[in-house]
Amino acid sequence: MTIDIQSLVSEATGLLKSLIAIPSLSRDEEKAADFLQSYIEMQGMETGRKGNNIWCLSPMFDLGKPTLLLNSHIDTVKPVNGWRKEPFTPLEENGRLYGLGSNDAGASVVSLLQVFLQLCRTTQAYNLIYLASCEEEVSGKDGIESVLPELPPIQLAIVGEPTEMQPAIAEKGLMVLDVTAYGKSGHAARNEGDNAIYKVLDDIAWFRDYSFPEVSPLLGPVKMSVTMVNAGTQHNVIPDRCTFVVDIRSNECYSNQELFDEIRKHIVCEAKARSFRLSSSRVSPEHPLVRRVVALGRTPFGSPTLSDQALMSFPSLKMGPGKSSRSHTADEFIFIKEIEEAIQLYMKLLDGAVLKA
C-alpha cells in the first residue's frame, strides 16, 4: 500500500496540537473526548462512546476474523512545578512539540489513529478497533475497564505509551497494601501502654528483606517497598496504632491474590489490599506480531511502569513514540520525527500482519 507518510505526520501533529490545547486531566477529559469523537466522525467513521472513552470499529467488521485493539489514553497528569512554557499552549520549536500530554500519551493517540484510518481503507486478515480511553493515569474504574465489556472479543492489543517504539511484551502489575498494628496508649514517662510502632518493625524488615522465588526473565523479581509510615499523636504518648503502606510491583509469575496470600503467612500485622485488579501482563515472544516486530529490528523488553495493559484480560504489547523518562516532567515534549517513525513502523508492522499462528 502506497501512503503519503508526510501528510499523515502533518495531520497527526495538527491533531496533537489541538488536543494539547484542551486540558484533559484525569477524570476531566470530556472536552478532549468531544473533540476527538467529532474528528473521527468527520473522517466518515461511526464512533461509540461511554463516559469519556471513544472507540471506533473498522468497516465490514467480521466476527470470523481475529480482532486487534489499538489503544492509548487522552488523559494527562496535572502540570508539575517547573514549567517554563505554557503546558496547554502547543509550541513547535526545533523539531519538538511542547505541551502537557505530548509525550504521554498524545503522540501515541494521534499516531495510532492515523494508522487506524489508513488500515480501514484496506483489507486485512483481522478486524481493528481504535480506542482512546480516559482515566489511565489514575487507573480509574470509568476508564478502559468500563469499556472492554462493550467491545467484541479481542485477540491482541497494542497499547500506545512512550517506549521509543520498542515493544514491551511484559509489564509489572501493582498492588498497594495498607498494614496496621494495634497497641495500647499510655504515658511515655511511665511503664504504660503497648507501643504499636514496635509491633511493625519486624514486618517492615520482612518486606525489606524477603524475595519471592519466581523471577521473570523480562521483569525480574517482585519488588516490595514500604513507602509510608504513620503513628503517634505527640511525643509523650505511647501510640496505640501504627500504619504503613507497601507498594508491590508484581511480575507475571504471580497473581496479586497469590502474592497477598503468601504475604499474610509471614507478617503479624493486619494487611488489607486496596485492589487486586492491576495485574502483571505479558504476550508470548513467539506471538506472530511479536516475531514480526522483531524482524523489523525492534527489541522486546519488560516494562516496570503501569499502563492500561494491567486491565486487559487478553495478550497485549506496549509500544509507542516518545520516551518514558519525559513523562510527567516540566516542559514535556515529543519530537516530530518520533511521530513520523511511529506511523511508519505501525504501518509496516500491521499492514498484512497475521494475528494467529
Side-chain angles (χ1 to χ4, degrees):
M1 177 175 58
T2 303
I3 57 173
D4 184 347
I5 290 292
Q6 291 308 315
S7 293
L8 297 184
V9 173
S10 177
E11 185 70 13
T13 303
L15 180 58
L16 180 53
K17 288 178 179 178
S18 297
L19 287 171
I20 290 170
I22 305 172
S24 57
L25 307 182
S26 295
R27 297 195 174 99
D28 190 22
E29 312 96 341
E30 184 175 3
K31 290 182 180 178
D34 289 344
F35 173 81
L36 195 60
Q37 183 175 26
S38 176
Y39 175 88
I40 294 172
E41 291 178 351
M42 285 175 61
Q43 313 307 308
M45 307 292 286
E46 294 184 7
T47 60
R49 180 165 182 166
K50 185 171 186 180
N52 294 327
N53 303 281
I54 308 297
W55 69 86
C56 184
L57 275 62
S58 54
M60 307 298 291
F61 199 95
D62 179 0
L63 288 174
K65 294 180 179 180
T67 295
L68 173 66
L69 174 68
L70 305 180
N71 164 247
S72 192
H73 65 92
I74 61 173
D75 62 312
T76 72
V77 296
K78 294 178 180 178
V80 297
N81 293 329
W83 276 83
R84 293 168 296 174
K85 305 179 188 301
E86 169 53 50
F88 301 113
T89 300
L91 174 64
E92 189 173 342
E93 187 176 86
N94 298 325
R96 301 179 177 188
L97 176 56
Y98 291 91
L100 182 64
S102 55
N103 179 78
D104 183 17
S108 291
V109 170
V110 299
S111 298
L112 285 169
L113 179 54
Q114 294 306 314
V115 169
F116 170 80
L117 293 172
Q118 284 297 308
L119 290 173
C120 283
R121 299 185 175 99
T122 69
T123 300
Q124 303 292 337
Y126 55 86
N127 304 303
L128 273 171
I129 301 175
Y130 175 80
L131 169 61
S133 50
C134 67
E135 296 193 10
E136 188 274 345
E137 296 288 5
V138 294
S139 300
K141 289 184 178 293
D142 291 327
I144 195 169
E145 188 176 31
S146 70
V147 177
L148 292 178
E150 310 284 330
L151 301 179
I154 294 165
Q155 276 64 52
L156 180 75
I158 294 178
V159 179
E161 291 280 351
T163 69
E164 300 177 82
M165 290 304 289
Q166 301 294 344
I169 64 171
E171 177 185 272
K172 281 200 168 181
L174 170 65
M175 177 172 60
V176 179
L177 297 186
D178 293 298
V179 186
T180 306
Y182 299 96
K184 183 179 179 181
S185 61
H187 198 296
R190 296 189 289 270
N191 189 24
E192 294 179 350
D194 184 12
N195 196 322
I197 292 177
Y198 297 155
K199 293 189 172 186
V200 306
L201 297 180
D202 287 345
D203 284 354
I204 289 176
W206 181 84
F207 280 111
R208 180 194 64 200
D209 297 335
Y210 185 77
S211 296
F212 283 90
E214 296 293 332
V215 176
S216 163
L218 284 165
L219 297 174
V222 174
K223 188 174 189 305
M224 300 190 291
S225 304
V226 175
T227 54
M228 299 173 68
V229 181
N230 187 55
T233 56
Q234 58 190 60
H235 77 90
N236 58 355
V237 177
I238 299 296
D240 63 356
R241 187 171 181 268
C242 181
T243 64
F244 64 95
V245 176
V246 189
D247 178 290
I248 300 172
R249 304 290 168 151
S250 53
N251 61 26
E252 79 277 16
C253 304
Y254 301 94
S255 69
N256 285 336
Q257 180 71 62
E258 288 171 335
L259 293 176
F260 181 73
D261 291 344
E262 185 65 21
I263 288 167
R264 291 189 66 185
K265 295 176 184 177
H266 294 270
I267 65 173
V268 297
C269 297
E270 175 186 276
K272 294 182 178 178
R274 295 182 185 178
S275 169
F276 296 123
R277 55 195 275 270
L278 301 175
S279 305
S280 178
S281 62
R282 72 180 297 273
V283 60
S284 169
E286 299 306 313
H287 190 284
L289 208 64
V290 176
R291 296 177 70 174
R292 188 175 172 104
V293 77
V294 169
L296 289 170
R298 302 291 148 156
T299 304
F301 72 102
S303 172
T305 57
L306 202 67
S307 75
D308 274 339
Q309 281 185 290
L311 298 167
M312 296 177 180
S313 61
F314 41 83
S316 59
L317 64 89
K318 181 166 64 178
M319 185 175 72
K323 194 171 184 177
S324 182
S325 60
R326 287 186 223 139
S327 301
H328 307 178
T329 62
D331 296 335
E332 180 183 351
F333 70 89
I334 190 77
F335 285 105
I336 305 299
K337 281 288 186 183
E338 290 174 317
I339 295 176
E340 179 178 352
E341 177 195 27
I343 292 174
Q344 287 181 316
L345 185 60
Y346 283 142
M347 288 300 303
K348 289 178 181 177
L349 175 63
L350 299 179
D351 188 22
V354 175
L355 297 192
K356 290 184 176 180

